[in-house]
Amino acid sequence: MTSKELVIKTIKGENPGRTPVYGWVEANLSDVISKKYGSVRNFEDHYQFDMSHIFGGPGCLNPEVAKLRDAGEEITPEVLLSYPLPDPNDMSQYQNIVEQLDFHHQRDRFCYLQSNGIFECLNDPFGIENHLMYMLLYPDEIAEVYHRQAEWNKQFALNAIELGVDMIHVSDDWGAQKSLMFSPQLWRDLIYPNHKITADAVKKAGAFLSLHSDGCIVDAVDGICELGYDVVHPWQESAGMSYDLYLNKYADKFAILGGICIQTTLGFGDYDRLEKEIRRVFSLLKGKRWICCTTHFVQDHCSLEELEFAYDLITKLARE
């Protein structure tokens, strides 16, 4: 069975007998990993990662808006709407995606592509504090901004699927440590319908769909199911997202990508606690709709030795 087949069976809930393995290791540890392994790709080959998390393609922020932001100008929804979004159909901007797909397809890996959500990407021009305020002060204008963004996201996703991406990974952080950052009703009114635009298009195109949202998103999970997400990352236990809740209520709805918490477990130099935690998570999730992965980018306070210790154990447990 190829890595791609393994991941697909896991997402669908068809227990393939082995746990797929991945990790967000590059962002902060690229130099450290490359010093020993030659490259992050060599590290991924060494541990036989089953997936590839691909970044690239055209950006959605107008360069003129970026200049206003960098100059400290306040960007309201009305201002943002006065500038067009960059062209999502400029296929020259997808070449880096094509190159990554070529590399990872040679290894039969399941490839998922980072994509914009609705809330998170617009924190860039607005600033998160202003953005939260605008949701209440300018609901009509925010709805228009969101709809325009959703249409852009949809076209970006369809172009990527055409190139051979297996799953669109929508990054849209909604959660604080104990709750959503906004009310469940605001999520339902403003976020849900615009995620649905992209979600429906991706599912119609025959690709898988995953969501990244940190923090406690319990109040949105039923809506996530309605949208048809196949995978949720990270299902953050340290923010009150218990595995019991997932296993008892949602395990027949979607898969989890995660389990190795960078907030509480990996990168703290406590090897005994790290081993116990990895074994605990495997005891709960192995054989379920679970792809073992870090809950976010491994932080730079994690040593290479600790990262290797974790992945030596993870790959052993995944293959038992």
Side-chain angles (χ1 to χ4, degrees):
M1 184 187 307
T2 68
S3 287
K4 180 174 177 177
E5 291 169 340
L6 173 70
V7 173
I8 290 173
K9 283 182 175 292
T10 302
I11 291 173
K12 290 181 174 181
E14 302 168 3
N15 185 350
R18 176 169 79 77
T19 302
V21 172
Y22 187 64
W24 289 15
V25 300
E26 183 170 11
N28 298 304
L29 296 178
S30 178
D31 290 345
V32 173
I33 291 172
S34 297
K35 185 175 181 180
K36 177 172 181 179
Y37 288 87
S39 68
V40 173
R41 285 181 170 182
N42 289 342
F43 178 89
E44 293 175 339
D45 285 347
H46 177 78
Y47 285 104
Q48 298 180 327
F49 279 7
D50 296 298
M51 305 176 74
S52 175
H53 185 184
I54 292 174
F55 292 82
C60 65
L61 184 64
N62 188 302
E64 296 303 314
V65 175
K67 290 178 183 177
L68 293 177
R69 177 205 60 198
D70 294 344
E73 299 286 338
E74 181 180 3
I75 300 170
T76 63
E78 184 178 25
V79 169
L80 190 63
L81 287 167
S82 70
Y83 291 89
L85 295 177
D87 182 9
N89 294 315
D90 179 0
M91 298 310 294
S92 67
Q93 298 296 311
Y94 291 79
Q95 186 57 37
N96 52 0
I97 295 175
V98 172
E99 292 169 359
Q100 292 173 78
L101 287 172
D102 286 346
F103 176 85
H104 292 291
H105 283 165
Q106 291 174 25
R107 287 153 173 77
D108 292 315
R109 287 185 179 133
F110 182 94
C111 296
Y112 70 106
L113 176 69
Q114 184 90 354
S115 176
N116 296 305
I118 295 299
F119 178 75
E120 181 182 335
C121 68
L122 289 162
N123 289 332
D124 189 352
F126 290 149
I128 188 168
E129 295 88 355
N130 284 344
H131 191 176
L132 290 166
M133 179 175 64
Y134 296 160
M135 293 173 81
L136 297 174
L137 292 179
Y138 310 119
D140 293 340
E141 291 85 353
I142 279 288
E144 187 176 351
V145 168
Y146 285 3
H147 181 79
R148 183 178 73 159
Q149 185 65 52
E151 291 292 340
W152 192 99
N153 295 349
K154 177 183 78 172
Q155 192 56 51
F156 172 75
L158 292 175
N159 289 340
I161 293 167
E162 187 81 14
L163 293 174
V165 168
D166 299 303
M167 183 166 75
I168 299 299
H169 186 64
V170 179
S171 185
D172 212 14
D173 286 341
W174 307 322
Q177 282 299 106
K178 296 183 179 180
S179 66
L180 294 175
M181 287 188 278
F182 28 74
S183 73
Q185 192 59 54
L186 267 181
W187 182 88
R188 178 64 70 169
D189 292 344
L190 290 173
I191 306 295
Y192 175 92
N194 291 293
H195 269 254
K196 185 171 174 55
I197 290 170
T198 301
D200 287 353
V202 169
K203 301 311 287 284
K204 185 177 180 180
F208 291 101
L209 183 69
S210 60
L211 173 72
H212 167 81
S213 192
D214 291 319
C216 183
I217 58 170
V218 169
D219 288 334
V221 177
D222 288 342
I224 290 168
C225 294
E226 293 170 29
L227 288 165
Y229 277 96
D230 300 292
V231 180
V232 172
H233 177 268
W235 194 268
Q236 191 178 335
E237 189 184 28
S238 60
M241 305 285 290
S242 76
Y243 291 133
D244 283 345
L245 175 63
Y246 170 71
L247 293 171
N248 292 331
K249 189 174 180 180
Y250 297 109
D252 62 336
K253 305 292 194 304
F254 54 78
I256 287 178
L257 173 65
I260 309 303
C261 185
I262 59 89
Q263 190 177 57
T264 62
T265 303
L266 181 61
F268 299 93
D270 188 338
Y271 285 59
D272 182 60
R273 183 166 65 87
L274 175 60
E275 179 174 353
K276 288 178 180 177
E277 181 61 16
I278 291 172
R279 289 186 180 277
R280 181 186 71 87
V281 173
F282 265 87
S283 72
L284 291 171
L285 300 179
K286 186 175 175 64
K288 308 297 193 299
R289 297 174 75 175
W290 174 52
I291 301 161
C292 183
C293 183
T294 55
T295 55
H296 213 292
F297 299 121
V298 180
Q299 300 300 293
D300 58 10
H301 55 74
C302 181
S303 69
L304 179 60
E305 291 74 21
E306 184 174 350
L307 186 68
E308 291 173 322
F309 176 87
Y311 273 94
D312 286 344
L313 179 59
I314 287 166
T315 51
K316 175 179 178 292
L317 296 174
R319 289 163 172 78
E320 285 182 346

